[in-house]
Amino acid sequence: MNIDKTIYKAFHKLPSFNLQNKNTAIVIPVLLLLFSCGSKEQQNSGFGAQGIATYKVLTLQPRSATLNTDYPASIQGLQNIEIRPKVDGFVEKIYVDEGSLVKKGQLLFKINAPQYEQDVRTAQAGIKTAEADVNSATLQVNKVKPLVEKDIISHYELESAQYTLQSKEAALAQAKAALENARVNLGYTTIVSPVDGVIGSLPYKLGSLVTSTTADPLTTVYNTATVYAYFAMNEKQLLGFSRDSSNTSSFRSKLNNIPQVTLILSDGTVYEHKGKVETVNGLINTTTGSANFRAAFINPRGLLRSGSSATVRIPAVVKSAIIVPQNVTYELQDKRFVYVVNNQNKIKNVAITVMDGTPGQFYIVTDGLKSGDRIIAEGANNLKDDLEIKPVEVNEDSVYKGLD
């Protein structure tokens, strides 16, 4: 029976529908009561028509995955070599500009120092004088020697001539050393790059007077053929890393077992070459509570520069772990929960324990769930225990596509 139509007809069958009519005053409460009962009946009928709520459900299976942990890093070149003059003079020529790439042996500066050219000429003249003295002493020895053999003069004269020759030969050797030293000093007036790298700032201009004691270097060459990415790991992470290393022969072996790492540049792009974690500082910084790690990356195109910032991404391979998406969990009073569906398709709130510092959009569950458990695979809030649902199994690949 349609109660709304019945009430409508009842109102229109009243002799006179007004509040002054005594019959109307009696009938209205009765009709209102019937209307109320009809509404409740319709509501109950609507809930039943909706049926049991439908939710997406995921059946958990052990999975192997690679999880990435990111660490902010600073880039430093393999070498930062300060170029300083070894002689005093004026900057005559500058062959490079700031930021330019240079090769080992490439000409950088020319220092104007005439005194060193003069020293070379003086040393050359000294050699000629010493050579003449040696020749004269040699003649004297050759002159005295046959006379001594014929007992014309004493043997003492020959020994004296030989000592004189040795003295002149020593003077010649000293003159040659002076020439070599003068040439070395003259060579210092021409400065070349000791390594492949990038030129830093140029504080001195043409004509500037520079000395070996000048405070600022002529420039700095940053050797970036290989660069180091320095990043920090907190004390708790380092402790776990060290504890795990006990399974290998040494801490160095543990470092060697770390897979190749990735460098994320400041613009968010991935650097084309992989790197390797080489060392870890054995001293924990008492201010930050962390230890510094160093990863090396080759830099053949000179894309990486000293002083730049980046992110080191370290992959961690997890085998046979229970992994759940973060968005299907919720937190309550410092505990994390998921909705588990039992064999009767009823919901139960279950507390889980997850691995600390799990990166990305997933949690690695260490306690509370096991293989074969079914969980609600969508963001659902305020569901109560023993609520019956209609489960719809979801495809694992669609859930874990962001994990691999």
Side-chain angles (χ1 to χ4, degrees):
M1 180 178 65
N2 192 321
I3 298 177
D4 291 344
K5 291 183 179 180
T6 304
I7 295 173
Y8 177 78
K9 293 178 180 179
F11 271 103
H12 283 76
K13 287 181 181 180
L14 292 176
S16 178
F17 183 69
N18 56 67
L19 295 177
Q20 284 76 22
N21 190 305
K22 185 182 295 185
N23 293 330
T24 301
I26 296 174
V27 173
I28 287 176
V30 176
L31 295 177
L32 292 176
L33 179 60
L34 291 174
F35 177 76
S36 176
C37 293
S39 298
K40 291 181 179 179
E41 182 181 349
Q42 286 182 330
Q43 291 175 357
N44 293 333
S45 176
F47 177 81
Q50 293 177 356
I52 300 174
T54 301
Y55 288 95
K56 295 179 181 179
V57 173
L58 173 66
T59 301
L60 300 177
Q61 298 293 340
R63 297 181 61 88
S64 296
T66 300
L67 302 179
N68 296 316
T69 305
D70 292 347
Y71 299 92
S74 60
I75 304 298
Q76 295 295 330
L78 179 64
Q79 295 171 292
N80 297 336
I81 303 176
E82 293 183 345
I83 306 299
R84 295 181 178 274
K86 292 185 177 181
V87 295
D88 302 345
F90 297 93
V91 178
E92 182 178 351
K93 290 183 180 180
I94 301 176
Y95 298 96
V96 292
D97 201 358
E98 296 177 349
S100 58
L101 296 174
V102 295
K103 297 293 184 180
K104 182 178 180 179
Q106 182 174 337
L107 193 59
L108 302 180
F109 301 94
K110 172 67 177 175
I111 305 297
N112 183 8
Q115 66 271 24
Y116 296 106
E117 296 178 0
Q118 182 61 39
D119 290 344
V120 171
R121 289 192 290 268
T122 300
Q124 290 173 336
I127 288 178
K128 292 181 179 180
T129 301
E131 288 175 342
D133 291 341
V134 169
N135 293 333
S136 177
T138 302
L139 289 175
Q140 184 65 23
V141 169
N142 293 335
K143 177 181 177 181
V144 173
K145 188 174 182 179
L147 298 177
V148 172
E149 292 175 350
K150 296 179 180 180
D151 292 330
I152 299 176
I153 59 176
S154 67
H155 191 268
Y156 171 80
E157 295 293 337
L158 178 60
E159 290 180 349
S160 176
Q162 289 175 335
Y163 288 146
T164 301
L165 175 60
Q166 292 177 359
S167 175
K168 299 302 181 180
E169 289 175 341
L172 176 60
Q174 185 175 6
K176 290 181 177 180
L179 175 60
E180 186 64 26
N181 185 58
R183 286 174 173 170
V184 169
N185 288 334
L186 181 61
Y188 288 148
T189 62
T190 301
I191 301 175
V192 298
S193 176
V195 294
D196 296 346
V198 181
I199 296 296
S201 62
L202 300 172
Y204 300 101
K205 307 306 176 184
L206 293 176
S208 299
L209 175 64
V210 293
T211 67
S212 58
T213 59
T214 301
D216 295 327
L218 295 174
T219 189
T220 301
V221 177
Y222 300 96
N223 180 6
T224 57
T226 296
V227 299
Y228 292 137
Y230 291 91
F231 62 96
M233 188 177 289
N234 64 44
E235 186 175 357
K236 187 175 181 179
Q237 292 170 324
L238 179 62
L239 183 61
F241 180 83
S242 303
R243 185 179 290 115
D244 292 341
S245 66
S246 60
N247 297 327
T248 61
S249 57
S250 66
F251 189 81
R252 169 57 59 182
S253 299
K254 180 64 178 179
L255 282 176
N256 293 334
N257 291 333
I258 296 179
Q260 288 187 320
V261 298
T262 302
L263 191 67
I264 311 299
L265 304 181
S266 57
D267 61 355
T269 59
V270 178
Y271 184 55
E272 57 187 333
H273 299 286
K274 298 285 187 179
K276 183 67 177 176
V277 177
E278 293 185 339
T279 62
V280 56
N281 193 331
L283 181 64
I284 296 178
N285 189 314
T286 56
T287 302
T288 62
S290 60
N292 288 330
F293 282 68
R294 189 185 76 192
F297 296 84
I298 62 172
N299 187 31
R301 295 196 297 128
L303 182 63
L304 304 178
R305 301 294 182 97
S306 290
S308 59
S309 60
T311 300
V312 172
R313 176 169 292 172
I314 301 180
V317 178
V318 179
K319 298 181 179 180
S320 299
I322 299 297
I323 303 175
V324 300
Q326 293 184 4
N327 61 353
V328 305
T329 70
Y330 68 96
E331 190 173 3
L332 181 63
Q333 295 180 350
D334 296 332
K335 292 184 179 180
R336 191 159 294 278
F337 293 84
V338 294
Y339 295 111
V340 177
V341 182
N342 62 20
N343 294 333
Q344 289 76 37
N345 294 331
K346 293 185 178 181
I347 292 176
K348 182 180 179 182
N349 294 282
V350 175
I352 61 173
T353 303
V354 299
M355 182 184 296
D356 291 340
T358 305
Q361 301 176 352
F362 299 88
Y363 286 128
I364 298 177
V365 180
T366 58
D367 188 33
L369 294 175
K370 62 182 183 301
S371 177
D373 284 347
R374 297 187 300 166
I375 63 172
I376 299 293
E378 57 183 310
N381 296 320
N382 301 322
L383 298 182
K384 296 182 178 180
D385 285 352
D386 297 326
L387 174 65
E388 185 175 356
I389 67 166
K390 182 180 179 181
V392 176
E393 193 74 23
V394 298
N395 190 340
E396 289 187 7
D397 295 336
S398 65
V399 175
Y400 294 107
K401 62 181 179 180
L403 183 61
D404 298 326

